[in-house]
Amino acid sequence: MPTEKKAQLIDKLKDLFVKSGVGIFADYRGMTVAELTDLRRNLRKSGVHFHVVKNTLARIAAEKAGKKDLGSLFEGPMAVAFSTGEATIPAKVLNDLVRTGKTALKIKGGFLGDRILRTADVQALAMLPPREIIIAQIVAGIQSPIAALVAYLSSPMSGLVGMLQARMKQLEGK
């Protein structure tokens, strides 16, 4: 039976698993306390919660949150970056840190909604453009055919107007 403190921690983790749209699991072995503090500060600025968790407690919390498939990720020292906002932010911050080689942090995987992410999936998520750019690209894709249709439909009208203006000039010149 878990102690009261552990039960509270399990409930807190369960709430994070439920409320968060994305969670990135990382192995933090080899990181100094200063590096972990800097990482937490950078993630906090983006609205991401970064928690070093005990595997057993995290596994229990994940099961209570309905994410039983995450069990394989709970091995070795582990930290989880939870985000309730944009899904790409924790992946980008952690992936940039790993890519620059400034730290010993290793991404293990994670979850996006109900989907389990492997390390390669997290890296692919980190490469996505921000949400605003994706929306702009979709809107531009929708707008492009409509603009082309308007131009196509207005071109005969432009030709007619040009012909009428030319005829008016011709009649004025007589």
Side-chain angles (χ1 to χ4, degrees):
M1 189 76 188
T3 63
E4 182 64 30
K5 185 176 178 182
K6 287 182 181 178
Q8 290 174 354
L9 184 58
I10 289 171
D11 288 340
K12 181 181 176 184
L13 285 171
K14 181 191 126 221
D15 288 342
L16 284 171
F17 276 113
V18 169
K19 292 178 183 176
S20 299
V22 65
I24 308 297
F25 296 84
D27 183 349
Y28 64 91
R29 272 186 284 203
M31 290 184 73
T32 65
V33 173
E35 289 174 335
L36 275 171
T37 303
D38 286 342
L39 176 60
R40 277 191 175 106
R41 189 175 300 122
N42 290 338
L43 287 169
R44 197 175 309 120
K45 287 177 189 175
S46 304
V48 177
H49 303 280
F50 188 76
H51 297 278
V52 173
V53 295
K54 291 189 176 227
N55 292 336
T56 306
L57 300 179
R59 186 178 293 116
I60 293 168
E63 287 176 5
K64 284 186 174 186
K67 299 184 185 296
K68 296 175 182 157
D69 299 335
L70 296 175
S72 63
L73 296 173
F74 298 115
E75 294 177 4
M78 186 185 61
V80 185
F82 293 103
S83 177
T84 56
E86 190 171 336
T88 59
I89 291 174
K92 284 180 192 253
V93 173
L94 294 176
N95 194 48
D96 287 346
L97 193 64
V98 169
R99 199 172 29 130
T100 58
K102 293 182 181 178
T103 183
L105 186 80
K106 293 180 185 77
I107 296 173
K108 293 173 134 185
F111 66 90
L112 178 63
D114 291 332
R115 183 171 177 227
I116 304 301
L117 303 174
R118 299 181 318 256
T119 303
D121 297 330
V122 173
Q123 291 169 346
L125 184 63
M127 297 302 155
L128 287 175
R131 183 175 186 260
E132 292 80 20
I133 293 176
I134 291 174
I135 291 171
Q137 289 172 342
I138 291 170
V139 169
I142 292 170
Q143 182 183 7
S144 178
I146 295 170
L149 177 65
V150 168
Y152 180 75
L153 293 175
S154 67
S155 65
M157 191 63 86
S158 298
L160 177 64
V161 169
M163 186 179 70
L164 290 174
Q165 286 177 342
R167 180 67 179 149
M168 281 178 23
K169 285 182 184 179
Q170 186 181 39
L171 292 174
E172 287 175 358
K174 286 187 177 180

